[in-house]
Amino acid sequence: MSFISYLINGLSLGSVYAIIALGYTMVYGIAKMLNFAHGDVIMIGAYTAFIAMTQAGLSPIIGVVIAVGVCTILGIAIERIAYKPLRNASSSLAVLITAIGVSYLLQNIALLVFGETPKTFQSVIKWKGVSLAGGKLNISGETVVTIVVCLIIMAALMFFVQKTKPGQAMRAVSEDKGAAQLMGINVNATIALTFAIGSALAAVAGVMYCSAYPTLSPYTGSMPGIKAFVAAVFGGIGSIPGAFIGGLLLGVIEILSKAYISSLLADAIVFAVLIIVLLVKPTGLLGKKIQEKV
C-alpha cells in the first residue's frame, strides 16, 4: 500500500509541475521565448489568494479567481513591457537575461511587500479526501483535486488549441509569424493571449502547490518553476501533451526517490534522469525534430 500511496502523491505533485510546464511550453511554442519569470508568477498568485482569504476574508473559490485575474494581467504586462521590445532581438540571450531580471524583480518586490518570513498557507480545499482498503490507503483532498484539476486543464487546453479560432491562430503563429500576419492574424494579441493563459495556469498551480505544501515565501515559486521547466524539456518543450506527461513523470520520480533512495538526493536524481533522457532523445519524449535548411 505504501508504494501506491507514494505513486498517488507523485501524480499529485506531478500534476502541479504539469500545470506550470503547460505555461512554459505554450510560451515557448508560440513566442519561442523561455519565460524564466514564470516561477515567480506562481508565487504572486499564491500570495494574492492568501491575502484574499486571510486579509479580505473571502472564500477560497473567490480567492483563486482573484489570483487567476491578477496573474493574467501580470503575464500580459510582463510580455508587453519586458519581452515585446526584444521580440526581434538579434540574440536570444537578451530575452533570457531579461527573463532572469524580471524573476529577481518579482522576488524582491515580494520581499519588500510581504517580508521574508514564511506564511502558513490555508488550503483552499476543505474536503478531507478518501480512505480506501479499510483505512490502509488515505488520499488527501488536495491530492485528488490537484490531479482532477490538471486533467481538466489539459483537456480544455487541447480543445482550445485544436478547435477554437484563437487556438488555431496560436498554432499558425507558432509555425510562422510572418505568414500568420500576412493571413490577417494579430500576432501581438496572440502572443499576449498565450502569456495570459500561461500566467493564469501559474496562479492555479501556485494555489494547488501551497495547499499541498502550506508554506509561502517570496522564493516559493523558484524550485517548482525550475522543475516544471525540466518537465517541459523532459516531455518535449513546445508540446502540450509532452509537458503533461513530463510533469507527471517528474513528480513520480521525485516522490519515489525521496521514499526509497534519499530525500537529499531526490532533486539530483530528477535532473540526472533529465540528462539521461536528453542524451537518448534530445528533443524530449514527445518533441519533434526540427530540420533547418542551410
Side-chain angles (χ1 to χ4, degrees), residues 1 130-139:
M1 282 299 173
V130 295
S131 180
L132 303 174
K136 294 181 180 179
L137 180 61
N138 296 309
I139 306 174

Side-chain angles (χ1 to χ4, degrees), residues 69-131:
V70 168
C71 287
T72 299
I73 296 170
L74 178 62
I76 294 173
I78 290 173
E79 192 276 328
R80 288 295 169 93
I81 297 171
Y83 298 147
K84 185 180 177 182
L86 300 173
R87 199 175 293 163
N88 297 319
S90 57
S91 172
S92 58
L93 192 61
V95 178
L96 179 62
I97 293 171
T98 301
I100 295 172
V102 172
S103 173
Y104 279 108
L105 175 65
L106 293 176
Q107 281 185 17
N108 281 277
I109 289 174
L111 279 169
L112 288 171
V113 175
F114 305 111
E116 61 181 354
T117 304
K119 314 290 185 184
T120 300
F121 191 88
Q122 179 184 356
S123 177
V124 300
I125 301 160
K126 303 305 179 183
W127 180 42
K128 293 183 178 180
V130 295
S131 180

Side-chain angles (χ1 to χ4, degrees), residues 94-248:
V95 178
L96 179 62
I97 293 171
T98 301
I100 295 172
V102 172
S103 173
Y104 279 108
L105 175 65
L106 293 176
Q107 281 185 17
N108 281 277
I109 289 174
L111 279 169
L112 288 171
V113 175
F114 305 111
E116 61 181 354
T117 304
K119 314 290 185 184
T120 300
F121 191 88
Q122 179 184 356
S123 177
V124 300
I125 301 160
K126 303 305 179 183
W127 180 42
K128 293 183 178 180
V130 295
S131 180
L132 303 174
K136 294 181 180 179
L137 180 61
N138 296 309
I139 306 174
S140 68
E142 288 83 3
T143 298
V144 176
V145 172
T146 301
I147 294 173
V148 171
V149 167
C150 180
L151 292 173
I152 292 172
I153 288 175
M154 175 65 186
L157 203 56
M158 289 295 293
F159 176 82
F160 176 80
V161 171
Q162 297 291 335
K163 301 296 182 181
T164 66
K165 286 186 177 181
Q168 291 170 355
M170 287 181 179
R171 289 162 56 198
V173 172
S174 175
E175 289 293 330
D176 192 319
K177 290 187 182 69
Q181 195 163 16
L182 289 174
M183 295 300 292
I185 295 173
N186 190 330
V187 173
N188 291 330
T190 301
I191 292 176
L193 177 61
T194 304
F195 270 84
I197 293 173
S199 299
L201 294 180
V204 175
V207 172
M208 292 293 101
Y209 182 80
C210 288
S211 292
Y213 304 92
T215 302
L216 177 59
S217 78
Y219 306 106
T220 292
S222 298
M223 187 54 73
I226 293 173
K227 289 180 180 177
F229 174 70
V230 170
V233 176
F234 191 9
I237 193 162
S239 167
I240 292 177
F244 175 73
I245 294 172
L248 293 183

